[in-house]
Amino acid sequence: MNTEAFPRGSPKPNGPRVCVIGGGGTGAALAYDLSLRGLRVVLLEKGELTSGTTGRHHGQLHSGARYALGDRAIARECYEETLILRRIVPEAIEYNGGFFIAIGEEEAELAPRFVAACLEAGIPAREIPAARALELEPGMNPALSRAVWVPDGTFDAWRLPLAFFAAARALGAEIRAWTEVLGLDRSGGRVVAARVLDRSREPFREELVEADYFVSATGAWAGKVGALAGLDVPITPAPGAMLAARGRLVDRVVSRLRPAGDGDIMVPQRGLSIIGSTQSVTDSPDAILPAPGDRDFLAGAGAELVPAFGAAPVHAVWAAARPLAGRSSDEGRSISRDFAALDHEERDGVAGMATIIGGKATVLRAMAEKAADLVAAKLGVEAPCRTARYALPSWREYYGRKA
Ligand SMILES: Cc1cc2nc3c(=O)[nH]c(=O)nc-3n(C[C@H](O)[C@H](O)[C@H](O)COP(=O)(O)OP(=O)(O)OC[C@H]3O[C@@H](n4cnc5c(N)ncnc54)[C@H](O)[C@@H]3O)c2cc1C
């Protein structure tokens, strides 16, 4: 598909009014998608934009290779989305590629099956000689015996969603940070209004926001927000910790060639190298901190991938909560990384509201498309998704600055 110029100067949307709750990447992409379809959008975010999981993740533009052994469809979708994002928002992406490296016999034996799984998912992975991989990325563990190149990349956790926010706002969406939804009012079996607390300026004030349809794009908070409307949303907030060391020790994403687990990905971000992550579960995604022991575990895991990591000064250790779609008793490990748009009318007999859950930052546009398709169908709007078509405005535009 060709990339067209952003449709500036389009008539302001005048369709039904949709309230998007949650100002992370998913909410940003959804506000943009709905605005492009001619819907009037108001987005409510309780903190600063991207202050949830979106502003605190690893920043890996997943080629899908990490998921290829477990789920080809998720892997394929990741890769297809990276191709779209590279066209529409190149400014936020460093397309540097990645290596999966085998340390030890078991990992080495996995290489052919891993490459085959990637190729089946449409991901152009290829094994390259270990010595050549080390020439290209000399920081990697010299004990590696096999290396597979994959089309991974990195992206800026803030600039990517901000470009979507800028696009939504340019089309007339109202983006309201520091506005928390405290309640969702139902009338005649339908969600009709959000009771909000606006903390964007003093004095703080409570207010009613009415809309024709509500979508919760609240990630790990989706259970709490659903409960405000009396809904039981199946979500597992699964915190993970990351450690950033000073120094760009590699230029590509470097992952362990083994089934996805803890401490097996190193991502270069500007002048830092970030190892992640761990996984546990929690009821409350607010104020998540790394667990005792995370720092030492991650430092050790990082040094196994890139030996210099062990001696590099620590820049930060932090954690965020994955919004895993579903429930499980095994710390969320058996929950798929897929996403779903829940139609609460069909599922729970409550009209006027949907929830988009699961997924990952790389697939924010696809998540928004799925949710917006549902909203459009509910509201009788025929306009199709067009978000893969246009180059997004610069993230700077969100703050009123020229690109
Ligand atoms: C450790 C870790 C590493 C990860 N690494 C990667 C990676 O490298 N690549 C990748 O693609 N993905 C990664 N992910 C996954 C990715 O970060 C998430 O899937 C994604 O950021 C979720 O975005 P979201 O917009 O759905 O949720 P969020 O960003 O959490 O947004 C939800 C928003 O809703 C708001 N909200 C909650 N309650 C209310 C309310 N009552 N009223 C108003 N607003 C409310 C919150 O404040 C929040 O801002 C990682 C996740 C973790 C935990």
Side-chain angles (χ1 to χ4, degrees), residues 25-26 45-46 52-54 57-60 181 242 320 360-362:
T26 310
E45 162 55 48
K46 71 174 176 171
T53 308
T54 293
H57 61 64
H58 214 156
Q60 179 182 9
V181 175
M242 289 150 283
K360 56 193 79 60
T362 301

Side-chain angles (χ1 to χ4, degrees), residues 123-205:
I123 303 163
R126 61 177 192 278
E127 183 167 4
I128 64 167
R132 176 67 184 137
L134 281 164
E135 258 170 41
L136 291 167
E137 204 57 270
M140 295 191 302
N141 189 338
L144 71 89
S145 57
R146 297 182 90 156
V148 178
W149 180 90
V150 297
D152 277 337
T154 65
F155 65 97
D156 187 299
W158 295 278
R159 290 179 183 178
L160 182 82
L162 279 176
F164 281 93
F165 279 122
R169 194 148 77 175
L171 295 174
E174 191 189 349
I175 311 289
R176 297 182 59 179
W178 303 108
T179 305
E180 179 169 3
V181 175
L182 300 177
L184 287 165
D185 291 348
R186 283 163 54 171
S187 169
R190 185 176 185 89
V191 178
V192 291
R195 275 179 287 115
V196 307
L197 178 63
D198 181 343
R199 295 193 187 89
S200 63
R201 56 185 170 272
E202 293 192 83
F204 298 170
R205 62 202 160 89

Side-chain angles (χ1 to χ4, degrees), residues 20-29 43-62 67 78 153-155 157 160-161 176 178-183 195-197 216-222 224-225 228 238-242 265 267 269 276-279 285-286 288 318-324 337 356-364 367:
V20 176
I21 308 169
T26 310
L43 180 142
L44 309 172
E45 162 55 48
K46 71 174 176 171
E48 184 50 280
L49 299 178
T50 76
S51 59
T53 308
T54 293
R56 293 185 286 157
H57 61 64
H58 214 156
Q60 179 182 9
L61 186 71
H62 279 288
Y67 306 106
C78 276
T154 65
F155 65 97
L160 182 82
R176 297 182 59 179
W178 303 108
T179 305
E180 179 169 3
V181 175
L182 300 177
R195 275 179 287 115
V196 307
L197 178 63
S216 167
T218 47
W221 289 263
K224 287 178 183 279
V225 171
L228 298 177
M242 289 150 283
I265 310 174
V267 175
Q269 284 280 3
S277 67
T278 57
Q279 186 161 316
D286 288 297
I288 286 175
W318 75 103
R322 294 173 191 84
L324 301 184
R337 295 301 196 261
I356 174 84
I357 49 170
K360 56 193 79 60
T362 301
V363 295
L364 78 175
M367 291 176 70

Side-chain angles (χ1 to χ4, degrees), residues 113-361:
R113 199 149 60 82
F114 174 71
V115 173
C118 287
L119 295 177
E120 268 176 44
I123 303 163
R126 61 177 192 278
E127 183 167 4
I128 64 167
R132 176 67 184 137
L134 281 164
E135 258 170 41
L136 291 167
E137 204 57 270
M140 295 191 302
N141 189 338
L144 71 89
S145 57
R146 297 182 90 156
V148 178
W149 180 90
V150 297
D152 277 337
T154 65
F155 65 97
D156 187 299
W158 295 278
R159 290 179 183 178
L160 182 82
L162 279 176
F164 281 93
F165 279 122
R169 194 148 77 175
L171 295 174
E174 191 189 349
I175 311 289
R176 297 182 59 179
W178 303 108
T179 305
E180 179 169 3
V181 175
L182 300 177
L184 287 165
D185 291 348
R186 283 163 54 171
S187 169
R190 185 176 185 89
V191 178
V192 291
R195 275 179 287 115
V196 307
L197 178 63
D198 181 343
R199 295 193 187 89
S200 63
R201 56 185 170 272
E202 293 192 83
F204 298 170
R205 62 202 160 89
E206 288 201 21
E207 193 187 319
L208 211 57
V209 175
E210 293 176 328
D212 300 297
Y213 203 85
F214 292 78
V215 189
S216 167
T218 47
W221 289 263
K224 287 178 183 279
V225 171
L228 298 177
L231 300 165
D232 178 26
V233 174
I235 182 96
T236 300
M242 289 150 283
L243 186 155
R246 281 188 214 130
R248 192 174 165 103
L249 307 174
V250 283
D251 279 321
R252 296 162 183 81
V253 178
V254 181
S255 309
R256 284 296 279 270
L257 183 42
R258 62 186 182 200
D262 286 357
D264 55 3
I265 310 174
M266 188 170 302
V267 175
Q269 284 280 3
R270 300 198 181 90
L272 299 173
S273 302
I274 306 174
I275 181 81
S277 67
T278 57
Q279 186 161 316
S280 56
V281 292
T282 181
D283 290 333
S284 175
D286 288 297
I288 286 175
L289 294 171
D294 280 353
R295 183 186 174 121
D296 288 349
F297 166 74
L298 289 170
E304 280 179 32
L305 280 167
V306 174
F309 193 84
V314 172
H315 174 77
V317 190
W318 75 103
R322 294 173 191 84
L324 301 184
R327 292 199 178 99
S328 82
S329 54
D330 62 353
E331 313 235 299
R333 281 173 210 284
S334 59
I335 301 179
S336 149
R337 295 301 196 261
D338 208 355
F339 57 85
L342 307 181
D343 172 354
H344 292 300
E345 183 172 23
E346 192 179 273
R347 207 175 158 271
D348 311 292
V350 176
M353 180 162 167
T355 299
I356 174 84
I357 49 170
K360 56 193 79 60

Side-chain angles (χ1 to χ4, degrees), residues 162 165-166 169-170 393-403:
L162 279 176
F165 279 122
R169 194 148 77 175
S394 168
W395 62 274
R396 292 181 176 83
E397 232 181 272
Y398 185 78
Y399 295 109
R401 283 151 62 190
K402 291 242 154 42

